[in-house]
């Protein structure tokens, strides 16, 4: 018997390229083009390095309390983790233990099937319609759980709360997770539904709208029973998942609501301008409520354009997958960066 027979082998998630060169325009991983709140910078400068000899607060009180206060929740309704990927992976482990399949869209965050394979969770992908929208009736079938991003990644399409509530309401025997990584760029959060439905978990992140991808903070919000189950699983796995620096700086970021709204507004304004420019150049794309645009051109292959952009020092994201292999996902950068993209496309004669 070969030892490899006892190895859990999976095909891992492939993140966007992180080039180690300077002087590029990096629009491939949906990072914020702006720095985090000045309160975060000040907090970094004043951190007492001597405290790093101590274990961090396993209950993450400073960050949990800040988030609970910001959203008008109790601390018992908030769970934090090392990025939303950590929170979602733990939610898979905690809530998706049925022999029935987990359901999620066929065009969706490509980590969803990776976690299902890792944890040996049966799953089925549910096709989006031709406009990359969800058909709510498709989720009225036996399942062991449901998860979908809203706004969708990688399309940017936002589903209204009536559809979200319909799916949650009609799947009361399953946990429904709404992954809201991009909610602050144009959507309406399902958070208002968590007191109404005990089976709903809403997950968000600091990586996009709060400009803190490097610090790794994600969080879930739901009824206290769901949060307790998540916490129990966390403490059975690793009591100290959140480090002191993340807890401190994350709490400071939540306090600076004015800056948060300022940079999200900037990104939204730039997105709308850039979208009009893409339309002028012959591209089409679904309406985006995220910090990116998912664009296609009728005459130019996305794979070809992806490589030409890269050769010019402009990195965007290309997915060589069914249904979306002629689209590029372009993160919204600064006004200057997006003007340079438009200049390149003009010269490319699209």
């Amino acid at each position: 018997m070969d030892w490899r027979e006892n190895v859990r082998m999976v095909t891992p998630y492939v993140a966007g390229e992180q080039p180690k060169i300077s002087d590029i325009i990096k629009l491939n991983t949906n990072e914020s083009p702006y720095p985090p709140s000045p309160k975060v910078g000040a907090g970094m400068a004043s951190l007492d390095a001597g405290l790093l000899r101590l274990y961090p607060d396993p209950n993450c009180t400073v960050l949990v309390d800040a988030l609970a206060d910001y959203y008008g929740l109790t601390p018992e309704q908030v769970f934090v983790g090392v990025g939303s990927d950590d929170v979602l992976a733990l939610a898979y482990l905690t809530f998706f233990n049925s022999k029935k399949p987990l359901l999620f869209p066929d065009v969706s965050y490509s980590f969803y099937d990776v976690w299902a394979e890792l944890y040996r969770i049966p799953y089925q992908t549910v096709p989006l319609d031709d406009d990359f929208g969800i058909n709510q009736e498709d989720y009225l079938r036996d399942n062991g759980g449901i998860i979908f991003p809203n706004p969708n990644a990688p399309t940017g399409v936002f589903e209204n709360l009536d559809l979200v509530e319909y799916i949650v309401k009609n799947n009361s025997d399953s946990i429904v997770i709404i992954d809201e990584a991009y909610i602050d760029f144009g959507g309406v959060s399902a958070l208002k539904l968590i007191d109404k439905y005990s089976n709903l978990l809403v997950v968000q992140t600091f990586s996009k709208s709060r400009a803190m991808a490097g610090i790794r903070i994600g969080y879930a919000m739901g009824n206290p029973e769901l949060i307790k189950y998540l916490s129990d699983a966390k403490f059975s796995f690793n009591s100290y998942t959140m480090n002191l620096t993340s807890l401190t700086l994350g709490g400071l970021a939540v306090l600076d609501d004015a800056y948060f709204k300022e940079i999200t507004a900037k990104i939204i304004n730039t997105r709308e301008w850039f979208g009009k420019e893409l339309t002028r150049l012959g591209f089409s794309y679904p309406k985006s409520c995220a910090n990116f645009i998912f664009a296609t051109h009728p005459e130019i292959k996305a794979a070809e354009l992806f490589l030409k952009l890269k050769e010019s020092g402009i990195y965007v994201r290309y997915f060589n997958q069914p249904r979306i292999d002629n689209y590029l996902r372009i993160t919204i950068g600064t006004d200057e960066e997006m003007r340079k993209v438009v200049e390149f496309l003009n010269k490319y004669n699209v």
Side-chain angles (χ1 to χ4, degrees):
M1 176 177 173
D2 192 299
W3 58 265
R4 294 173 184 82
E5 295 180 21
N6 295 317
V7 173
R8 178 161 294 193
M9 298 182 184
V10 295
T11 301
Y13 169 78
V14 179
E17 188 175 356
Q18 297 286 1
K20 300 296 190 293
I21 54 177
S22 58
D23 299 322
I24 64 166
I25 298 176
K26 189 172 182 296
L27 307 174
N28 65 331
T29 51
N30 298 340
E31 295 149 322
S32 175
Y34 303 109
S37 162
K39 292 182 183 295
V40 173
M44 289 182 66
S46 63
L47 275 173
D48 181 357
L51 293 176
L52 298 181
R53 66 187 178 82
L54 304 174
Y55 283 111
D57 172 15
N59 294 311
C60 308
T61 304
V62 64
L63 181 55
V64 167
D65 285 356
L67 288 167
D69 183 65
Y70 184 81
Y71 290 107
L73 305 174
T74 66
E76 291 75 24
Q77 292 176 290
V78 179
F79 176 89
V80 298
V82 186
S84 60
D85 288 341
D86 177 55
V87 174
L88 289 168
L90 193 60
Y92 266 56
L93 184 66
T94 306
F95 300 121
F96 299 150
N97 294 293
S98 170
K99 294 181 180 179
K100 298 176 182 179
L102 171 66
L103 304 179
F104 51 85
D106 64 333
V107 179
S108 190
Y109 185 30
S110 50
F111 228 140
Y112 292 163
D113 58 340
V114 173
W115 288 318
E117 295 285 352
L118 178 64
Y119 294 131
R120 304 296 190 258
I121 298 168
Y123 68 93
Q124 293 176 359
T125 57
V126 183
L128 297 175
D129 65 23
D130 292 341
D131 296 318
F132 297 123
I134 287 176
N135 181 352
Q136 61 189 23
E137 305 297 327
D138 290 343
Y139 289 83
L140 303 187
R141 64 174 86 168
D142 278 350
N143 65 79
I146 295 169
I147 183 171
F148 60 90
N150 197 34
N152 182 280
T155 70
V157 172
F158 174 73
E159 303 290 353
N160 65 61
L161 287 192
D162 289 340
L163 180 144
V164 173
E165 183 169 11
Y166 181 88
I167 292 174
V168 175
K169 180 180 180 180
N170 286 283
N171 288 280
S172 58
D173 292 336
S174 302
I175 300 299
V176 179
I177 299 178
I178 310 300
D179 181 357
E180 294 186 343
Y182 302 97
I183 196 64
D184 297 313
F185 298 106
V188 179
S189 176
L191 182 61
K192 62 178 67 176
L193 300 176
I194 65 172
D195 288 330
K196 190 174 181 180
Y197 299 101
S198 63
N199 62 320
L200 172 63
L201 193 71
V202 175
V203 177
Q204 296 187 13
T205 179
F206 278 50
S207 296
K208 317 299 182 186
S209 57
R210 294 195 183 275
M212 295 179 71
I215 207 72
R216 311 307 302 129
I217 298 174
Y219 53 106
M221 297 170 287
N223 79 77
E225 186 177 10
L226 287 185
I227 299 304
K228 182 182 184 303
Y229 289 141
L230 267 179
S231 296
D232 288 347
K234 166 195 167 182
F235 285 120
S236 300
F237 183 76
N238 182 356
S239 296
Y240 302 105
T241 56
M242 297 293 293
N243 65 70
L244 174 66
T245 304
S246 295
L247 292 174
T248 302
L249 302 185
L252 291 172
V254 175
L255 296 177
D256 198 349
D257 194 44
Y259 182 82
F260 162 69
K261 290 177 178 175
E262 176 188 344
I263 63 171
T264 52
K266 282 184 179 180
I267 292 168
I268 291 169
N269 288 337
T270 305
R271 181 190 69 202
E272 296 307 298
W273 172 84
F274 181 64
K276 291 176 182 177
E277 289 295 300
L278 287 179
T279 299
R280 178 181 63 80
L281 291 163
F283 288 87
S284 60
Y285 53 90
K287 175 178 171 56
S288 175
C289 286
N291 66 336
F292 57 82
I293 288 179
F294 195 58
T296 185
H297 195 279
E299 298 175 5
I300 298 178
K301 296 294 185 183
E304 171 192 327
L305 186 55
F306 166 74
L307 292 175
K308 293 296 184 182
L309 283 162
K310 186 174 179 179
E311 289 172 6
S312 297
I314 302 172
Y315 284 68
V316 300
R317 192 77 190 269
Y318 173 66
F319 300 91
N320 188 16
Q321 298 173 11
R323 299 190 66 189
I324 60 173
D325 59 353
N326 203 37
Y327 285 80
L328 295 178
R329 192 194 70 190
I330 307 170
T331 302
I332 302 303
T334 63
D335 288 345
E336 180 182 1
E337 288 173 329
M338 304 319 291
R339 280 195 295 269
K340 289 181 179 178
V341 176
V342 171
E343 289 172 6
F344 171 88
L345 295 176
N346 278 322
K347 293 177 182 177
Y348 195 69
N349 294 319
V350 296

